[in-house]
Amino acid sequence: MRPRTAVAVLLVLLPAAGCGTGPSLEDRGEVTAPPGDSKHLTIGSAGFTESDLLAQMYALLLDRAGYSTKIISVTNREIYEPALESGQIDVVPEYAATFADWLNAKKNGADATPVGSPDLAATMKALRALAAPRGLIVLDPGRAVDQNAFAVAARYASAHRLRTLGDLGRSRLPVRLAAGDECVQRPYCAPGLKKTYGIRITAVDPKGVGTTQAKQAVQNGQDQMVLTTTTDATLDSFGLVLLADDKHLQNADYLVPVVNRSRAGSAGVRTALGRLNTVLTTADLARLNEQVDSWRRLPEDVARAYLESKNLVPRG
């Protein structure tokens, strides 16, 4: 099977997917037409490593199921989501809670009460209700989740017997947190750590989310904890370990394929992509990210090797 490379998509998507003169999809009433099953599908990637890997895996799985696929890279959700509605893109990998809140804000305004939550079932219900009027179907989530996570130095965790954020809260240790400057106000960052876990956040060091600078600050003891993600593949190299979110502060950002109903809403697409749900874990995804980011392997090669190792596509 041919090697596959994501190609950057140009802004020509905008005229067809933008405002236009007709009503938006969400205003066109209930979608009643049967789901479509186009044999030529365009898969969108958001342009970062994890999204590229997922797009490559989606393409390989769909190819095996008899579809012809191509991948385009669109780094801005404001562009690729309307393109998904219009059918210029047929499939994208998304994150349940984040996408639910994004669609909710698009429909109800930036100040709308968030609908994403740590409850996966409630999040998926809200997400599907928001997606359906736009002609989108959200397929089932798998086992992999990419959500905010907090890491400390392994030696610090060992010295204070820390395995969970609850342990850190009970320790009453003062904690300087390396994160983005928005962490001061975000409910799932400093305020949530204080409210849910009782962690003594003494300051937020604005070094960014999961950046090298932020991890180094924890590694050298300048800060005690860093905000990163559950699929961060570089923690070991900095001597850091994640503390488990034992009280489920973070939203349910499970990976979900989102498809255009009129072109890719068929049982064939659902079955093909659903095969990934049975095998791909958060730990797997972190290792795959590492192979691309640290080992400099191509996403298409890493994706194929993984699916071959799970017997989801034929070898060779």
Side-chain angles (χ1 to χ4, degrees):
M1 207 171 285
R2 68 190 184 280
R4 185 181 306 280
T5 302
V7 295
V9 67
L10 302 177
L11 293 181
V12 292
L13 283 175
L14 279 173
C19 295
T21 57
S24 67
L25 288 177
E26 63 185 307
D27 296 327
R28 293 179 188 171
E30 184 179 357
V31 179
T32 57
D37 192 28
S38 172
K39 296 303 179 182
H40 302 276
L41 299 175
T42 299
I43 300 166
S45 163
F48 56 93
T49 295
E50 188 167 288
S51 189
D52 288 344
L53 282 164
L54 290 164
Q56 295 287 345
M57 286 191 277
Y58 288 4
L60 289 164
L61 291 167
L62 288 167
D63 281 351
R64 190 184 185 191
Y67 295 88
S68 173
T69 62
K70 67 177 179 180
I71 296 172
I72 60 175
S73 182
V74 191
T75 58
N76 190 319
R77 188 180 275 117
E78 282 75 10
I79 296 176
Y80 76 66
E81 189 278 330
L84 183 62
E85 289 188 28
S86 71
Q88 292 176 285
I89 295 174
D90 303 306
V91 185
V92 295
E94 262 293 356
Y95 301 89
T98 295
F99 196 46
D101 284 338
W102 193 86
L103 289 179
N104 186 43
K106 185 175 181 180
K107 177 182 179 182
N108 298 312
D111 295 330
T113 301
V115 295
S117 76
D119 185 326
L120 177 59
T123 296
M124 287 297 297
K125 182 178 180 180
L127 173 55
R128 284 171 165 157
L130 287 161
R134 296 180 176 276
L136 306 179
I137 295 177
V138 182
L139 304 186
D140 291 340
R143 300 161 63 190
V145 57
D146 186 350
Q147 59 193 169
N148 286 345
F150 297 90
V152 299
R155 62 181 182 275
Y156 179 85
S158 177
H160 299 289
R161 299 182 180 181
L162 306 176
R163 291 186 301 172
T164 69
L165 291 171
D167 292 339
L168 182 57
R170 287 186 290 273
S171 75
R172 303 305 298 157
L173 290 164
V175 174
R176 182 176 165 92
L177 174 63
D181 54 9
E182 70 279 1
C183 179
V184 174
Q185 297 180 326
R186 292 283 172 87
Y188 304 112
C189 201
L193 292 172
K194 293 175 182 178
K195 181 178 179 180
T196 301
Y197 288 105
I199 295 173
R200 293 177 58 200
I201 304 296
T202 59
V204 172
D205 188 4
K207 285 184 165 60
V209 179
T211 63
T212 296
Q213 184 184 21
K215 291 171 191 171
Q216 287 174 337
V218 177
Q219 183 183 38
N220 64 29
Q222 177 184 346
D223 297 331
Q224 286 73 50
M225 189 162 67
V226 59
L227 169 62
T228 182
T229 66
T230 51
T231 59
D232 189 328
T234 67
L235 295 178
D236 285 349
S237 63
F238 290 93
L240 307 181
V241 294
L242 291 179
L243 295 182
D245 181 18
D246 49 318
K247 294 184 180 179
H248 306 292
L249 171 64
Q250 301 305 320
N251 277 347
D253 260 330
Y254 283 75
L255 297 172
V256 290
V258 182
V259 303
N260 177 285
R261 186 181 191 276
S262 66
R263 289 184 48 81
S266 68
V269 170
R270 183 185 299 272
T271 299
L273 297 182
R275 292 191 173 99
L276 192 60
N277 289 352
T278 63
V279 296
L280 185 66
T281 65
T282 303
D284 287 345
L285 197 51
R287 286 191 290 268
L288 298 179
N289 286 337
E290 181 182 27
Q291 290 178 42
V292 176
D293 291 336
S294 298
W295 303 0
R296 299 303 179 190
R297 295 186 62 193
L298 294 174
E300 54 264 37
D301 293 339
V302 174
R304 176 178 291 282
Y306 178 75
L307 294 183
E308 288 177 352
S309 74
K310 300 297 182 181
N311 298 315
L312 293 180
V313 298
R315 295 182 182 274

